[in-house]
Amino acid sequence: AQKITQTQPGMFVQEKEAVTLDCTYDTSDPSYGLFWYKQPSSGEMIFLIYQGSYDQQNATEGRYSLNFQKARKSANLVISASQLGDSAMYFCAMRDYTGTASKLTFGTGTRLQVTL
Amino acid sequence: DVKVTQSSRYLVKRTGEKVFLECVQDMDHENMFWYRQDPGLGLRLIYFSYDVKMKEKGDIPEGYSVSREKKERFSLILESASTNQTSMYLCASSRTYYRNQPQHFGDGTRLSIL
């Protein structure tokens, strides 16, 4: 069974600083995908970034980058130059490519608070 | 842009009632999903559907059923609502054959069972 672990229930970061949100995963499948989502207090889930298990380079999307260490089974999200609007819950998720549909398994999330 | 629309943002029902949560997507996605979100537990998959009239149980299907009569619509049914089903419910949709495509979520329904 697949498992996602996010060990930081809450994090604080000062505006304009960089922050790393941790995510480790466990799977026996050689082919998988890792996703990060942001959930503001309003509730909607916003897709941020994707990393495939066979991708040679770490994914980047604007201020978001993914520190993918396959041997360690970790996929940490790095947010550079934090902004007040980055305050939200962040979820790491892994896609399962077996079966009839590509299901996602989610971690328990990290609440990020950006301070002045 | 993909649009996933959930029928209600907030819903209050009584124990024993039959509750319907509706979800519609406008991007012709094959897959649709229902999750519930509880503090400290993340998102847990209740049911999903990979085609019209096709459904599969997720991790926590007990007390729920689903219906998918049309490709764009996926309904979650609480057969006899109980207080432990008070939660945030999220619907999502995705394509089957594109590995890097994310699931797209609706805004969620905060359901309270009194």
Side-chain angles (χ1 to χ4, degrees):
Chain A
Q2 298 191 327
K3 186 175 181 181
I4 293 282
T5 302
Q6 294 180 256
T7 57
Q8 306 153 315
M11 291 276 289
F12 286 89
V13 65
Q14 274 198 318
E15 198 180 19
K16 300 179 186 175
E17 298 288 312
V19 63
T20 298
L21 306 184
D22 293 342
C23 173
T24 58
Y25 60 91
D26 190 22
T27 180
S28 56
D29 295 324
S31 179
Y32 51 89
L34 296 154
F35 297 79
W36 277 92
Y37 284 85
K38 171 185 177 182
Q39 187 182 43
S41 57
S42 50
E44 74 272 27
M45 295 283 283
I46 301 166
F47 164 67
L48 296 177
I49 195 166
Y50 165 84
Q51 180 83 45
S53 58
Y54 293 120
D55 292 345
Q56 295 297 312
Q57 294 191 332
N58 287 344
T60 60
E61 289 286 347
R63 294 187 299 111
Y64 304 108
S65 60
L66 210 151
N67 184 1
F68 180 48
Q69 298 189 41
K70 195 170 181 177
R72 292 187 173 187
K73 293 189 175 180
S74 74
N76 298 338
L77 177 70
V78 180
I79 305 175
S80 63
S82 297
Q83 302 171 356
L84 294 178
D86 294 334
S87 294
M89 282 289 287
Y90 289 82
F91 290 97
C92 180
M94 181 163 55
R95 170 169 277 168
D96 170 11
Y97 293 122
T98 60
T100 50
S102 297
K103 297 181 290 181
L104 287 179
T105 300
F106 284 84
T108 53
T110 296
R111 183 172 297 281
L112 177 66
Q113 186 69 43
V114 180
T115 61
L116 292 170
Chain B
D1 273 355
V2 175
K3 184 73 174 172
V4 179
T5 304
Q6 295 184 230
S7 52
S8 306
R9 288 300 302 270
Y10 300 93
L11 205 55
V12 180
K13 296 291 183 181
R14 296 201 176 275
T15 54
E17 280 193 68
K18 191 168 186 176
V19 180
F20 293 85
L21 302 183
E22 306 286 345
C23 175
V24 177
Q25 51 95 3
D26 66 357
M27 284 300 293
D28 202 36
H29 284 172
E30 297 84 5
N31 304 320
M32 296 188 74
F33 307 84
W34 275 107
Y35 297 90
R36 66 176 280 175
Q37 181 181 4
D38 301 289
L41 296 178
L43 278 73
R44 292 178 293 166
L45 182 64
I46 304 171
Y47 267 97
F48 66 98
S49 169
Y50 52 92
D51 202 349
V52 176
K53 297 190 185 295
M54 306 306 288
K55 61 187 178 184
E56 285 196 22
K57 294 179 180 179
D59 300 317
I60 51 164
E62 296 79 17
Y64 303 94
S65 62
V66 290
S67 173
R68 193 167 181 200
E69 296 296 319
K70 294 185 177 181
K71 191 174 186 179
E72 67 270 19
R73 186 180 297 271
F74 193 36
S75 303
L76 179 69
I77 303 154
L78 286 65
E79 297 289 346
S80 178
S82 64
T83 54
N84 63 11
Q85 292 178 309
T86 290
S87 187
M88 170 76 138
Y89 290 86
L90 290 158
C91 174
S93 71
S94 73
R95 289 206 177 280
T96 296
Y97 300 111
Y98 297 88
R99 289 175 170 248
N100 62 344
Q101 293 299 301
Q103 289 185 10
H104 299 270
F105 284 81
D107 289 343
T109 296
R110 292 189 186 274
L111 175 65
S112 295
I113 307 296
L114 303 179

